[in-house]
Amino acid sequence: MTTRRKSDGAAEARNNRLLGQRLALSRSAKGLTLAELAAVVGGGHQLIQRYESGEMAVPFGRLVQIAQALDTPLKTLIGDGFDADAHEDPESRAVLQIARLAGRLPAPKRAVLVAVARELGRP
């Protein structure tokens, strides 16, 4: 007889938020609005916003569609952040904010920002 474990609501909410942050980061990095992504994958911009906020779980099939629309490997969106001992990165809000700002920049300015970030990341 198989024993089913009750769902840990807090862990599920944390995982939804983490995935949502990664979705928002990837979308912003591509310079897409919520409406533009929704037009590609369907469902409307409010649904995408609910995914990104972690308010709503992303069905796997929709997650695959979003990854394809963002030209991002599914592994990048899922990553290793869902391992049992992984925790949310405290820096993720700042990174997400930077990505959102970068997504709104024209391509030449975005290229400059990437070059600056690369330089800052060097030892």
Side-chain angles (χ1 to χ4, degrees):
M1 183 173 185
T2 304
T3 305
R4 291 188 114 187
R5 203 168 51 138
K6 286 188 178 181
S7 174
D8 180 355
E12 187 174 342
R14 186 176 56 249
N15 289 338
N16 287 343
R17 282 192 311 275
L18 180 59
L19 178 59
Q21 289 172 348
R22 290 178 178 177
L23 291 174
L25 182 62
S26 294
R27 179 186 55 77
S28 294
K30 296 290 182 183
L32 295 175
T33 65
L34 290 166
E36 289 168 336
L37 180 57
V40 175
V41 300
H45 74 279
Q46 291 173 332
L47 182 62
I48 303 298
Q49 186 176 35
R50 291 177 75 190
Y51 293 154
E52 288 186 3
S53 71
E55 179 184 336
M56 188 173 184
V58 184
F60 184 74
R62 179 62 54 91
L63 182 59
V64 170
Q65 289 177 318
I66 291 171
Q68 290 171 342
L70 295 174
D71 194 28
T72 301
L74 189 58
K75 182 180 177 181
T76 300
L77 296 177
I78 295 173
D80 60 358
F82 299 102
D83 292 339
D85 54 346
H87 301 285
E88 278 187 64
D89 179 8
E91 303 280 325
S92 62
R93 277 201 179 151
V95 171
L96 182 56
Q97 216 172 10
I98 291 167
R100 285 185 174 142
L101 292 170
R104 292 185 216 135
L105 292 173
K109 287 186 177 183
R110 196 174 322 141
V112 170
L113 182 60
V114 168
V116 168
R118 278 194 190 119
E119 188 61 33
L120 289 173
R122 291 184 185 177

